[in-house]
Amino acid sequence: MKNIAVIGVGYVGLVTGVCFADLGNRVVCVDINEEKIEGLKKGIMPIYEPGLEELVARNVRAGRLSFTTSYAEGLKEAEFVFIAVGTPEGVDGEADLQYVRMAARSIAELMDHPMIIVNKSTVPVGTGDWVADIVREYRNSDVEFAVVSNPEFLREGSAISDFMYPDRVVLGSLNREAAEKVAQLYLPLRAPIMITDLRTAEMIKYASNAFLATRISFINEIANICEALGADVKEVATGMGYDKRIGHAFLDAGVGYGGSCFPKDVKALAYMAEIKGRHPQLLRAVMEINNYQRRAVVRKLEEALGTLRGKTIGLLGLAFKPNTDDMREAPSVHIANMLFAAGAKVRGYDPVAMRNARRVAPQIELADDAYSLAAGCDAIVVVTEWNEFKQLDLERIRDLMNRPVLIDGRNIYDPATMRELGFYYRGMGRGYEDSGAERR
Ligand code: UDX
């Protein structure tokens, strides 16, 4: 059993804290947000994540997990301090490090015994060295410390199993011994553990996310070409994926990536390259294609309805992906804004993200379920591929709509079946019809 403090109870911090507690360590989670901490003490989760609430409750009951707003209390016995605070996007795509700076300074000011500071927040390459500088500047004594970078690869919606069954654990430090101590914490997971230097570990995170985003933009570009040539991108991706060198994951064409990581990390990596005089052409193309996917949906609606002025469009799904209530960089918001600009009325429904949607996009009129959303709509766009949308009574949906126009931004329906049901149906990259092109 080790004593661990985790600073920041967002997705990464909370999941990291509770999972380390579940592995038998004593974990104190620290956050300056009193509302979040008070809620957690009462068992109220600040985020929606399957399995999280039960795991938190179990470990609190077992006395291994606690929450506090006090750094002093959190750090008192900690041998390891994980920094997992937010690194939002700043100006120009540069990551905003104010919360990391605050955390590093607070740790330094209270440090009265040796500590290993482990950085989990996604931070620009070089931040680990900068954190070490801050700690050296603000610590009161010469007490020993080391900084280790330990990037997270958790996906929202499956964050707990991603933590417990990682493909790999990456640790970077100039202090090998410290990195090896952190490695011990991960040994029960029986995953490959890679130890490298600080900057390389930080870069692995950016390169991984940028590569995954590139796969998505790649398949979206292929989808657009499929529309022009009469091929079906879903089949194309399946056929490609059988090649072991390619694989099936992250080849779903659609409205493009969103969320708190990919958009921010691709931009930040491009920014880091540019300020060093490099030309990240591929990363720029990845971002451009992603933006284009949102516009493509609006273009498909215009093809179906003519002008969008005065039309009512229903967005089926608002979260940036299923199994989360996260609306950060959600394609639904970008699409809604373009629709508003074109003079349309926008309605929306999501199984869990309605509360966040109300906050982030108050102009979207919310419906109680998919059927009340459909009533009176001139078109529906599937923006998030929630499972519950795959089994809708589509005849009922069709009959409730002003016009049976459905743009399937996630390719969850079968085009032939939808047309048989009498829908004007357009997917993303599923043959000639999707681009409005004539078959020749
Ligand atoms: C991602 C990374 O997967 C994770 O390793 C990292 O640490 C944080 O960022 P997350 O943002 O939770 O996790 O979502 P993810 O499941 O990776 O999906 C990202 C976006 O890509 C979503 O908007 C999703 O809809 C989109 N996507 C994903 C596609 O459009 N097509 C695909 O084939 C896969």
Side-chain angles (χ1 to χ4, degrees):
M1 188 202 72
K2 296 286 182 192
N3 284 311
I4 297 173
V6 179
I7 314 295
V9 292
Y11 256 103
V12 176
L14 194 51
V15 171
T16 303
V18 72
C19 288
F20 275 134
D22 207 53
L23 292 173
N25 300 289
R26 197 178 309 132
V27 179
V28 185
C29 290
V30 184
D31 200 297
I32 50 173
N33 185 326
E34 277 177 31
E35 201 185 321
K36 273 191 189 177
I37 293 295
E38 282 315 307
L40 279 161
K41 283 183 180 168
K42 293 186 200 123
I44 304 166
M45 298 302 110
I47 49 166
Y48 171 82
E49 182 65 31
L52 183 66
E53 198 170 326
E54 296 78 358
L55 206 62
V56 168
R58 189 163 81 216
N59 284 284
V60 169
R61 239 181 287 125
R64 289 189 297 262
L65 180 65
S66 59
F67 301 98
T68 178
T69 51
S70 154
Y71 267 86
E73 195 181 318
L75 298 180
K76 202 161 51 194
E77 304 197 34
E79 182 183 347
F80 300 92
V81 184
F82 283 79
I83 300 183
V85 297
T87 49
E89 193 181 309
V91 276
D92 302 332
E94 185 184 14
D96 176 354
L97 293 177
Q98 59 166 316
Y99 303 108
V100 178
R101 176 195 286 277
M102 270 160 54
R105 189 173 162 171
S106 306
I107 295 166
E109 286 170 348
L110 289 161
M111 202 159 65
D112 58 4
H113 61 273
M115 278 178 195
I116 297 178
I117 300 168
V118 189
N119 190 28
K120 268 220 162 276
S121 303
T122 302
V123 289
V125 177
T127 303
D129 297 329
W130 173 76
V131 164
D133 290 343
I134 295 175
V135 175
R136 249 176 249 116
E137 185 180 341
Y138 289 100
R139 75 184 154 165
N140 294 316
S141 56
D142 271 351
V143 53
E144 259 180 62
F145 74 97
V147 176
V148 177
S149 162
N150 172 211
E152 56 84 18
F153 302 101
L154 308 175
R155 285 165 303 174
E156 292 180 16
S158 56
I160 291 167
S161 71
D162 286 349
F163 186 97
M164 292 298 191
Y165 306 98
D167 289 340
R168 79 309 208 177
V169 173
V170 174
L171 300 169
S173 185
L174 298 174
N175 181 331
R176 175 103 198 170
E177 201 188 320
E180 275 164 7
K181 281 191 182 155
V182 180
Q184 295 290 326
L185 295 176
Y186 285 102
L187 280 188
L189 304 181
R190 298 169 177 276
I193 299 179
M194 175 182 173
I195 298 184
T196 179
D197 65 81
L198 249 177
R199 285 171 183 244
T200 303
E202 290 167 343
M203 188 64 184
I204 288 171
K205 168 67 191 233
Y206 280 104
S208 301
N209 275 357
F211 182 74
L212 292 168
T214 303
R215 276 181 76 105
I216 298 170
S217 282
F218 176 83
I219 202 67
N220 282 331
E221 178 140 299
I222 295 294
N224 293 324
I225 302 172
C226 281
E227 289 181 3
L229 300 180
D232 182 339
V233 74
K234 256 189 124 148
E235 302 275 312
V236 170
T238 305
M240 288 167 62
Y242 285 119
D243 187 323
K244 287 197 193 67
R245 294 167 301 177
I246 297 175
H248 290 285
F250 277 76
L251 285 181
D252 292 326
V255 293
Y257 59 78
S260 64
C261 289
F262 287 177
K264 173 168 77 82
D265 293 351
V266 177
K267 243 189 242 173
L269 185 56
Y271 178 82
M272 284 185 268
E274 271 159 13
I275 54 170
K276 292 285 182 193
R278 306 295 149 122
H279 301 288
Q281 305 165 60
L282 180 58
L283 299 180
R284 279 198 211 114
V286 167
M287 293 189 273
E288 196 182 310
I289 294 167
N290 203 53
N291 291 334
Y292 175 81
Q293 291 311 102
R294 275 71 151 152
R295 287 202 298 279
V297 167
V298 177
R299 205 199 59 222
K300 283 173 199 281
L301 285 167
E302 282 167 347
E303 267 161 27
L305 302 173
T307 175
L308 298 180
R309 186 156 300 282
K311 303 279 173 21
T312 302
I313 313 295
L315 304 183
L316 204 48
L318 299 168
F320 84 95
K321 66 171 194 175
N323 302 319
T324 175
D325 65 349
D326 201 334
M327 291 285 298
R328 284 177 286 181
E329 293 291 325
S332 62
V333 178
H334 300 150
I335 293 170
N337 287 342
M338 283 187 265
L339 294 175
F340 289 130
K345 198 168 139 203
V346 183
R347 314 181 59 201
Y349 165 69
D350 190 282
V352 304
M354 304 274 259
R355 198 164 53 100
N356 283 340
R358 204 167 284 129
R359 195 170 42 78
V360 176
Q363 325 85 306
I364 301 179
E365 189 189 302
L366 299 177
D368 292 337
D369 58 37
Y371 301 101
S372 41
L373 174 82
C377 273
D378 295 296
I380 281 182
V381 181
V382 178
V383 187
T384 318
E385 66 279 33
W386 283 95
N387 273 340
E388 70 170 62
F389 300 157
K390 295 176 185 164
Q391 293 299 338
L392 290 175
D393 178 348
L394 290 164
E395 287 178 337
R396 193 174 154 207
I397 296 273
R398 178 198 63 203
D399 294 343
L400 285 164
M401 296 176 72
N402 279 350
R403 306 167 211 224
V405 173
L406 193 140
I407 310 297
D408 186 355
R410 296 291 187 176
N411 290 339
I412 62 173
Y413 300 121
D414 174 51
T417 312
M418 294 303 282
R419 287 179 188 124
E420 266 162 38
L421 284 172
F423 277 96
Y424 171 104
Y425 174 88
R426 295 288 182 266
M428 305 296 281
R430 312 204 60 190
Y432 281 126
E433 283 88 355
D434 284 351
S435 63
E438 292 295 315
R439 193 181 294 268
R440 264 174 289 133

